[in-house]
Amino acid sequence: MVHGRSQNEAAVLVQAFQILQSMIAEKDEQIARMQPLAEQAELCEANGAGMDMTAAAGIVSARLSGVENKRIVIGRNSLYELLREFGMIRVSVNQAYQRFVDSGYFVNVAPIRAGKCRESVKVTPRGIEAIIERIMDHGISKKMVVGQIEN
């Protein structure tokens, strides 16, 4: 007996402690990966400009990875496709519908590059949350899953 516990109980506790240490290490790695994205999201929220679709796709992928032990990757073009399916951005141009702009999910921009107006949409941190919620409501499609996360 070890401090009133059988050797079997002690072994189980040691194993549980090791599992918890492993889980903490995985979460620390996830936090380290997400830190630059979080800083960008905070900056976007502070200046009201929103983030580009590539950054938004990275944040959505990072936040969804681990759901149902799946590794999720959503690229920029796939995110545009999803937003069109969800009816959040227009089909013909990369602009959000006004009700989603008014809700604070997106910022429509039209920068001029090489003498041409290039319409695009920026995603706010609030928009990231709305996108994740929609994906969870509709279910994670098989094309988003690139692997399993081992425990």
Side-chain angles (χ1 to χ4, degrees), residues 8 28 50 57 75-76 79 89 113 116 119 133:
N8 191 29
D28 287 345
R76 178 187 68 119
L79 186 55
I89 64 171
R113 293 187 200 130
K116 293 185 179 182
E119 293 180 332
E133 186 177 314

Side-chain angles (χ1 to χ4, degrees), residues 6-7 16 44-45 56-57 61-63 69 73 83 87 91-92 95 100 105 108-109 115 123 127 130 132 136 149:
S6 71
Q7 287 182 346
C44 290
E45 188 170 41
S61 296
R63 292 277 306 278
N69 290 329
V73 174
L83 295 176
V91 174
S92 57
Q95 292 279 283
F100 296 108
Y105 297 162
N108 287 330
V109 295
V123 183
I132 291 168
M136 295 304 294
I149 296 174

Side-chain angles (χ1 to χ4, degrees), residues 91-108:
V91 174
S92 57
V93 293
N94 291 333
Q95 292 279 283
Y97 286 105
Q98 191 62 45
R99 69 180 175 272
F100 296 108
V101 173
D102 293 343
S103 295
Y105 297 162
F106 302 102
V107 177
N108 287 330

Side-chain angles (χ1 to χ4, degrees), residues 31-123:
I31 289 168
R33 282 192 317 270
M34 291 181 69
Q35 186 63 35
L37 300 172
E39 289 170 1
Q40 182 177 6
E42 287 173 1
L43 180 63
C44 290
E45 188 170 41
N47 68 22
M51 66 192 82
D52 68 20
M53 204 58 72
T54 302
I59 292 171
V60 170
S61 296
R63 292 277 306 278
L64 287 174
S65 282
V67 173
E68 301 172 5
N69 290 329
K70 294 177 181 168
R71 185 166 168 256
I72 309 296
V73 174
I74 301 171
R76 178 187 68 119
N77 292 344
S78 296
L79 186 55
Y80 273 119
E81 184 180 319
L82 279 172
L83 295 176
R84 285 187 178 92
E85 286 176 21
F86 296 157
M88 297 174 96
I89 64 171
R90 297 180 192 165
V91 174
S92 57
V93 293
N94 291 333
Q95 292 279 283
Y97 286 105
Q98 191 62 45
R99 69 180 175 272
F100 296 108
V101 173
D102 293 343
S103 295
Y105 297 162
F106 302 102
V107 177
N108 287 330
V109 295
I112 297 174
R113 293 187 200 130
K116 293 185 179 182
C117 182
R118 307 281 182 170
E119 293 180 332
S120 70
V121 61
K122 303 290 184 183
V123 183

